[in-house]
Amino acid sequence: IDNGSFQTRAGWACPDPAVPAEPLLRFRSLAARSRGARGGAGAETQVGNDLGSPEPLRWLLRSPFDRNVPVQLELQELLLDHVFQRLGVSSQGCVDHPIVLTEAVCNPLYSRQMMSELLFECYQVPKVSYGVDSLYSFYHNRRQNWPCSGLVISSGYQCTHILPVLEGRLDAKNCKRINLGGCQAAVYLQRLLQLKYPGHFAAITLSRMEEILHEHSYIAEDYTEELQKWRCPEYYENNVHKMQLPFSNKLLGSTVASEEKQEKRQQQLRRLQELNARRREEKLQLDQERLDRLLYVQELLEDGQMDQFHKALVELNMDSAEELQSYINKLSLSVEQTKQKILQSEVNIEVDVVDSKPETPDLDPLGSEQSLEDVESINEFEPLFAEEQPEVEKPVAAVQPVFNLAEYHQLFLGTERIRAPEIVFQPSLIGEDQAGIAETMQYVLERYSKEQQALLVQNVFLTGGNTMYSGLKARIQKELLEMRPFQSSFQVHLASSPVLDAWYGARDWAVEYMNREEGWITRKDYEEKGGEYLKEHCASNVYVPIRLPKQAPRAAEASAPSRASGTGNPSEQA
């Protein structure tokens, strides 16, 4: 079982050629447990490929891993149940098969202890062996002329490790980890595209970003120089990748029948006519009241009551009788025009406006002028109401989109293709205060002598799902060329199958060591030495036992005779 934080791979290890030498089961290391229906149905748990698309259940998804270390053993038990059930383990009450299981580099003892307890106590396995996935991949890809030493660069879903291997064994003291992997690259790519296309925020999901990352991204040999190339329009046109998001070409407006449209327009027109008439009546009433007030003030002038007349002018904010007369003339004209419009609308209220066509040459020009005056009056006195005026009825035609929906739902992948995977070399791009692969590799090499450095760089081995980008091998060669002495030699190798080689290596080891005691932890070892115990082998971690500090002899034992006799200071006895 290759127990990865992104994907679990499981299968059988058997020397029989009839048994397939491939992992029979591959699924995402995720589980989702629904809350259950209100009708009394219990909660349903789905694991791995049974989930289908993870996006609708993103808020329910749970993983047993914290980074690359399993910490939620309840969820790990669900994954193992899924594995044993799908592989067809037929033994009753137990799993009567030896198990080879991968674990993280420098795995914490507590995590191994809980995993051993789960395997031996829950599944009753006869024996188990733990190994590091990247070391299994390293030994699976060994060729006849390969040295037993090398520098393994393993980049997975959550972490990237630099592992020095000397004389066939892992040098655990000088291993280094970078907390960046494919997950952080996918999240960074999602942020970049969501900022670039805010209209498609919901469609730019993490699952799509992982797919884009695997199929369209690459590592630039020189990141700054590659960005300068992308500034050229011709280079951009030749190298940009277009991604088509799903969309619906069905418009809501095209489904409505023409009769329903006409009826709806008639109702809107009647409602607007009633609203227009009511506003004209309210305006006429207000203008009439103000005109009566101005005529009353004018009567005061004609009657010679000058004091009251000047006092009324001050209340009206007017200066002279001429200004008063001008306002009276304007209001009188406005009142007359409003009355005529109300009469005209009452005459035309029963006319079927929908059936009238503006292209007909028999229209009364007087009616057209009156309609134009109505619009001008509405625009003058009710500017907000003018926006609600219905358009003149046009023949019903097919609804044509104003833009191409397919082009609107396209993503253009330009510099994003190199920005996302670059974070493992430059973590500062996403604000991480860590060293990249090149700096960490140089730091690890500097901890050895020159002879050991030359031995390690002769076999720089790349493995893990996050090393499948095109151009990664050339980038590592370039970084090594910059940090190594002049005219020194080095070799960089890429795993034949970076994702599956860990499982292939574990299978090869299991077939070779099936009848040996080396590397296997039996139930007797578990009961005697504890769950954290590890038997080392060529692809395992280094076992560091727990050293408990010796307890100091208690002073209470020395003072026991005095307490028994009842003598001594009471405070000392307490």
Side-chain angles (χ1 to χ4, degrees):
I1 302 173
D2 182 10
N3 192 30
S5 59
F6 177 75
Q7 191 180 61
T8 299
R9 292 160 282 270
W12 297 102
C14 181
D16 187 358
V19 177
E22 298 285 336
L24 301 179
L25 193 61
R26 298 173 60 184
F27 60 91
R28 286 289 299 270
S29 302
L30 296 172
R33 179 175 296 167
S34 62
R35 297 178 179 177
R38 293 184 179 179
E44 181 184 2
T45 302
Q46 295 177 316
V47 178
N49 298 333
D50 296 340
L51 294 169
S53 175
E55 293 307 325
L57 302 172
R58 179 69 66 180
W59 63 285
L60 285 175
L61 295 180
R62 298 292 182 270
S63 172
F65 292 88
D66 181 8
R67 293 289 181 181
N68 61 332
V69 178
V71 293
Q72 299 288 340
L73 272 300
E74 299 88 352
L75 297 175
Q76 183 66 58
E77 184 179 351
L78 291 176
L79 299 185
L80 292 177
D81 287 342
H82 186 75
V83 168
F84 297 140
Q85 180 184 4
R86 295 302 176 93
L87 287 181
V89 176
S90 58
S91 52
Q92 294 294 328
C94 65
V95 178
D96 194 15
H97 296 275
I99 291 180
V100 179
L101 187 69
T102 61
E103 64 177 7
V105 181
C106 301
N107 192 33
L109 296 181
Y110 177 75
S111 176
R112 186 185 301 130
Q113 177 186 357
M114 297 299 294
M115 186 66 73
S116 296
E117 181 180 344
L118 178 65
L119 292 173
F120 285 110
E121 301 293 346
C122 180
Y123 296 105
Q124 304 292 325
V125 299
K127 57 182 180 179
V128 65
S129 176
Y130 296 106
V132 179
D133 51 357
S134 52
L135 295 183
Y136 279 135
S137 177
F138 178 71
Y139 287 107
H140 175 71
N141 285 271
R142 269 193 316 181
R143 299 180 178 88
Q144 295 295 330
N145 55 348
W146 273 30
C148 294
S149 302
L151 191 66
V152 180
I153 301 177
S154 172
S155 185
Y157 188 60
Q158 293 284 359
C159 300
T160 299
H161 291 93
I162 311 294
L163 310 177
V165 179
L166 287 173
E167 301 300 329
R169 286 303 176 94
L170 174 68
D171 185 9
K173 292 184 179 180
N174 293 319
C175 293
K176 295 299 173 185
R177 181 179 74 172
I178 305 170
N179 286 325
L180 291 174
C183 176
Q184 289 75 21
V187 172
Y188 181 48
L189 179 62
Q190 184 184 32
R191 284 167 45 196
L192 288 176
L193 291 181
Q194 284 178 344
L195 288 172
K196 187 176 181 180
Y197 299 100
H200 304 313
F201 192 89
I204 301 175
T205 61
L206 198 58
S207 300
R208 288 198 178 102
M209 296 306 102
E210 291 172 353
E211 181 181 351
I212 290 175
L213 199 65
H214 295 158
E215 296 182 1
H216 301 277
S217 296
Y218 67 97
I219 298 286
E221 187 172 346
D222 189 318
Y223 182 68
T224 306
E225 182 180 342
E226 191 73 14
L227 287 181
Q228 293 297 327
K229 291 181 181 178
W230 278 98
R231 293 172 64 92
C232 175
E234 185 177 353
Y235 185 86
Y236 178 87
E237 290 294 332
N238 294 333
N239 293 275
V240 68
H241 285 193
K242 299 179 182 179
M243 297 295 300
Q244 182 66 59
L245 293 175
F247 67 97
S248 176
N249 204 16
K250 184 179 180 181
L251 295 177
L252 296 177
S254 60
T255 62
V256 183
S258 59
E259 295 80 5
E260 296 178 1
K261 289 183 181 180
Q262 291 182 0
E263 182 64 26
K264 193 173 182 180
R265 290 201 178 191
Q266 288 180 7
Q267 293 177 359
Q268 290 178 350
L269 190 56
R270 292 193 197 100
R271 192 160 54 246
L272 290 173
Q273 286 177 345
E274 293 172 358
L275 180 63
N276 192 9
R278 186 165 61 251
R279 290 188 175 184
R280 282 176 179 171
E281 291 176 357
E282 293 174 357
K283 179 179 179 298
L284 177 62
Q285 183 178 0
L286 293 175
D287 289 349
Q288 188 64 47
E289 291 177 357
R290 188 167 187 187
L291 180 60
D292 294 341
R293 172 65 176 166
L294 295 178
L295 291 175
Y296 171 74
V297 174
Q298 191 177 30
E299 289 178 0
L300 293 177
L301 177 61
E302 294 175 354
D303 294 343
Q305 301 177 8
M306 301 304 295
D307 295 338
Q308 296 182 4
F309 172 73
H310 288 296
K311 185 178 180 181
L313 280 182
V314 172
E315 292 177 357
L316 294 173
N317 197 17
M318 295 184 184
D319 297 332
S320 61
E322 290 78 8
E323 187 177 357
L324 175 63
Q325 186 62 41
S326 174
Y327 271 97
I328 290 175
N329 294 336
K330 289 181 180 179
L331 273 177
S332 300
L333 181 60
S334 177
V335 167
E336 289 298 325
Q337 289 179 352
T338 306
K339 287 180 179 180
Q340 292 179 5
K341 290 175 182 177
I342 291 176
L343 291 175
Q344 185 69 24
S345 63
E346 290 176 355
V347 171
N348 296 333
I349 193 65
E350 296 180 358
V351 177
D352 190 3
V353 183
V354 178
D355 293 337
S356 64
K357 297 182 180 179
E359 293 84 7
T360 306
D362 300 337
L363 286 178
D364 185 7
L366 209 58
S368 299
E369 294 176 2
Q370 187 67 26
S371 175
L372 184 60
E373 291 178 1
D374 287 349
V375 174
E376 291 176 353
S377 176
I378 292 173
N379 290 336
E380 180 181 356
F381 293 100
E382 280 86 25
L384 295 177
F385 175 69
E387 298 177 359
E388 301 178 2
Q389 287 290 334
E391 296 181 358
V392 181
E393 179 70 21
K394 294 182 180 179
V396 178
V399 179
Q400 297 292 335
V402 296
F403 58 90
N404 192 331
L405 284 176
E407 292 182 359
Y408 176 71
H409 288 84
Q410 284 181 356
L411 303 181
F412 288 75
L413 301 176
T415 57
E416 294 83 10
R417 296 177 58 197
I418 60 174
R419 287 183 188 274
E422 182 67 19
I423 64 171
V424 294
F425 289 93
Q426 300 185 52
S428 60
L429 291 176
I430 59 173
E432 290 288 341
D433 188 15
Q434 300 183 50
I437 287 182
E439 294 89 342
T440 308
M441 187 165 50
Q442 184 175 8
Y443 176 80
V444 170
L445 289 174
E446 287 176 351
R447 299 174 71 90
Y448 295 96
S449 62
K450 293 183 178 181
E451 293 77 11
Q452 290 176 324
Q453 290 183 27
L455 189 63
L456 289 173
V457 297
Q458 289 304 314
N459 189 12
V460 178
F461 180 71
L462 307 177
T463 185
N466 202 42
T467 61
M468 298 178 67
Y469 304 112
S470 61
L472 178 63
K473 183 177 178 180
R475 176 66 175 270
I476 296 294
Q477 290 174 340
K478 172 181 174 294
E479 300 291 349
L480 282 171
L481 186 64
E482 292 177 356
M483 71 178 67
R484 296 299 297 155
F486 179 62
Q487 290 186 344
S488 61
S489 62
F490 56 84
Q491 293 185 14
V492 180
H493 305 279
L494 181 65
S496 57
S497 177
V499 175
L500 296 179
D501 277 354
W503 187 90
Y504 292 141
R507 177 193 175 277
D508 296 342
W509 184 92
V511 171
E512 183 179 353
Y513 288 82
M514 188 173 295
N515 298 320
R516 303 185 193 178
E517 293 184 0
E518 181 183 354
W520 292 104
I521 305 170
T522 62
R523 184 173 184 84
K524 183 179 179 181
D525 295 330
Y526 164 73
E527 292 174 350
E528 290 181 357
K529 302 176 182 178
E532 71 276 1
Y533 177 66
L534 173 69
K535 275 191 177 179
E536 297 182 11
H537 56 88
C538 59
S540 71
N541 279 307
V542 177
Y543 176 54
V544 181
I546 298 177
R547 293 184 176 88
L548 297 176
K550 294 183 179 180
Q551 295 182 356
R554 290 181 297 180
E557 296 178 356
S559 60
S562 63
R563 290 200 302 269
S565 61
T567 60
N569 192 346
S571 63
E572 293 178 357
Q573 295 180 13

